[in-house]
């Protein structure tokens, strides 16, 4: 049976809370914290589960925080291949200031991995032989080479799996130079991939076509925040508008989008349908507070709105 695999080199425990107001020097009383396992590929696997699918998450995990991380992920019933590491898994803190409704996101540095540890992660992916889709998502921690997603792209080709990358900067450039199945940059990531300072939405199509023509990817889904997304392949150019919703938090929108795309592709849907579902899932994620990912019922409702072209 074919399957979905995600790889996350820099997983984290996301600790979310809220406070009456952010004031320096004073003790601030926080609401009971919510703890969730996070990091790009981890979120994608969790969102796929919420949509009714299944993905195996491959990730490094270390120390007491790592054990706790593994426990949180197991509570969500996510199949996991865990590479034990010497250093502790990191924790991030997300704080909502209720007086302003501003959300502060404190990200701790990624846990350094040794060469032996990151090589074990690659080997673990290689051993998941029935993978139809491999998704690499998220930043790279210290110790991991910037061309690791290019190495994974090679592995995916050997395995006959479709490789999807959602990352930024140099890691994204290296992956694209090797050639992958699908890239999901936002506007900022696309402009840096194209070596430009800034991009206007009107330029997206031509830039994406150029990147595809150079063999860097077969499919590009450029996410455009509240505006939705643009799907580009050699033959397709399709703008998908996001339905208007009351936005609570955009954290996890990109990961929910990737989850929706892969979940639908795995179900045998077309690229246009999969991108429409991806937009529905990304937008559904913004309806929830904090780090909460998309809910299936919201995603399904938004998808039917998109399909009917019933968006104003
Ligand atoms: N403010 C918003 N309103 C409605 N939908 C949104 C909004 N922000 C994001 N989305 C949805 O989520 C998708 C992905 O969002 P975005 O383009 O912000 O990705 P991203 O920059 O990669 O996000 P992330 O910060 O999660 O990595 C969009 O294509 C859209 O469907
Ligand atoms: Mg993103």
């Amino acid at each position: 049976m074919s399957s979905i695999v995600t790889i996350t080199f820099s997983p984290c425990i996301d600790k979310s809370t809220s406070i009456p107001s952010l004031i320096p020097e004073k003790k601030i009383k926080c609401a009971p914290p919510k703890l969730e396992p996070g990091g790009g590929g981890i979120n994608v696997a969790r969102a796929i589960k919420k949509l009714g699918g299944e993905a195996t998450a491959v990730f490094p995990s270390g120390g007491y925080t790592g054990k706790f991380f593994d426990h949180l992920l197991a509570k969500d019933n996510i199949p996991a291949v865990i590479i034990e590491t010497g250093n502790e898994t990191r924790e991030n803190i997300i704080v909502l200031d209720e007086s302003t409704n501003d959300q502060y996101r404190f990200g701790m540095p990624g846990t350094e991995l040794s060469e032996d540890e990151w090589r074990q992660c690659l080997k673990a992916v290689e051993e998941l032989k029935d993978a139809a889709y491999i998704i690499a998502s998220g930043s790279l921690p210290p110790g991991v080479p910037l061309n690791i997603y290019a190495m994974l792209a090679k592995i995916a080709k050997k395995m006959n799996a479709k490789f999807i990358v959602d990352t930024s900067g140099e890691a994204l450039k290296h992956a694209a130079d090797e050639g992958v199945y699908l890239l999901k940059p936002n506007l900022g990531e696309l402009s840096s991939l194209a070596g430009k300072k800034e991009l206007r939405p009107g330029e997206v199509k031509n830039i994406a076509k150029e990147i595809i023509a150079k063999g860097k990817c077969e499919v590009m889904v450029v996410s455009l925040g509240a505006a939705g997304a643009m799907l580009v392949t050699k033959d397709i150019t399709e703008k998908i508008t996001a339905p208007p919703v009351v936005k609570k938090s955009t954290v996890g929108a990109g990961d929910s989008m990737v989850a929706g795309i892969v979940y639908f592709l795995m179900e045998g849907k077309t690229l246009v349908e999969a991108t429409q579902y991806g937009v529905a899932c990304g937008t559904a994620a913004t309806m929830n507070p904090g780090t909460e990912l998309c809910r299936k019922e919201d995603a399904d409702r938004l998808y039917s709105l998109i399909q009917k072209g019933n968006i104003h």
Side-chain angles (χ1 to χ4, degrees):
M1 206 189 80
S2 56
S3 67
I4 305 173
V5 174
T6 76
I7 168 96
T8 314
F9 287 99
S10 198
C12 56
I13 296 173
D14 283 326
K15 189 179 268 187
S16 311
T17 187
S18 58
I19 55 170
S21 173
L22 187 63
I23 304 165
E25 309 296 339
K26 290 233 184 324
K27 273 190 185 169
I28 303 173
K29 274 209 174 127
C30 300
K34 196 170 166 202
L35 295 157
E36 282 173 305
I42 298 293
N43 286 338
V44 173
R46 291 176 65 222
I48 288 174
K49 185 89 193 184
K50 292 183 80 173
L51 297 173
E54 189 160 276
T56 301
V58 177
F59 59 93
S61 173
Y64 285 112
T65 45
K67 286 277 167 281
F68 188 56
F69 180 95
D70 304 346
H71 159 75
L72 288 173
L73 202 63
K75 273 209 302 191
D76 280 352
N77 284 319
I78 309 291
V81 179
I82 302 169
I83 309 304
E84 281 202 30
T85 61
N87 291 329
E88 296 239 323
T89 296
R90 70 186 169 132
E91 286 178 284
N92 289 342
I93 297 165
I94 300 121
V95 182
L96 177 73
D97 179 337
E98 286 168 344
S99 68
T100 57
N101 221 18
D102 285 328
Q103 184 169 255
Y104 295 89
R105 298 169 69 179
F106 302 96
M108 303 303 152
T111 304
E112 180 159 358
L113 296 187
S114 67
E115 176 165 354
D116 178 53
E117 289 164 350
W118 62 255
R119 284 201 185 277
Q120 282 186 57
C121 293
L122 295 184
K123 198 156 164 271
V125 173
E126 222 169 343
E127 282 169 3
L128 292 165
K129 298 210 186 301
D130 63 355
Y133 290 93
I134 299 172
I135 303 143
S137 176
S139 59
L140 298 177
V144 173
L146 289 171
N147 66 344
I148 194 133
Y149 290 155
M151 295 183 204
L152 272 164
K154 273 200 183 120
I155 290 171
K157 280 178 205 163
K158 265 204 289 183
M159 294 168 72
N160 242 338
K162 289 183 166 154
F163 189 47
I164 297 179
V165 178
D166 182 8
T167 189
S168 57
E170 284 300 306
L172 173 58
K173 267 191 196 141
H174 281 289
D177 285 343
E178 178 58 39
V180 306
Y181 173 64
L182 187 151
L183 291 175
K184 196 233 56 85
N186 58 27
L187 264 189
E189 289 156 355
L190 179 63
S191 46
S192 88
L193 181 62
K196 307 218 174 216
K197 250 191 157 166
E198 236 180 290
L199 267 189
R200 281 177 288 109
E203 296 172 288
V204 167
K205 177 188 160 188
N206 287 343
I207 297 275
K209 291 266 183 202
E210 273 171 36
I211 291 172
I212 291 166
K214 285 183 188 152
K216 291 177 189 276
C217 64
E218 284 177 48
V219 182
M220 188 178 285
V221 177
V222 183
S223 65
L224 306 166
M230 174 93 97
L231 164 68
V232 185
T233 70
K234 191 162 61 66
D235 312 307
I236 309 171
T237 305
E238 183 104 8
K239 167 89 201 305
I240 292 144
T241 304
V245 296
V246 178
K247 180 197 83 178
K248 290 213 175 118
S249 157
T250 59
V251 181
D255 296 330
S256 294
M257 170 176 233
V258 172
I261 294 172
V262 182
Y263 174 66
F264 252 38
L265 288 177
M266 199 68 186
E267 297 267 291
K269 308 277 185 178
T270 66
L271 273 171
V272 172
E273 290 166 333
T275 311
Q276 289 174 333
Y277 198 59
V279 169
C281 291
T283 302
T286 70
M287 296 165 65
N288 299 325
T291 52
E292 199 178 326
L293 299 162
C294 59
R295 292 189 189 152
K296 185 175 173 66
E297 54 274 28
D298 295 328
D300 289 350
R301 185 176 59 77
L302 296 175
Y303 176 64
S304 76
L305 283 180
I306 293 172
Q307 279 219 310
K308 285 182 204 143
N310 202 2
I311 298 161
H312 306 286

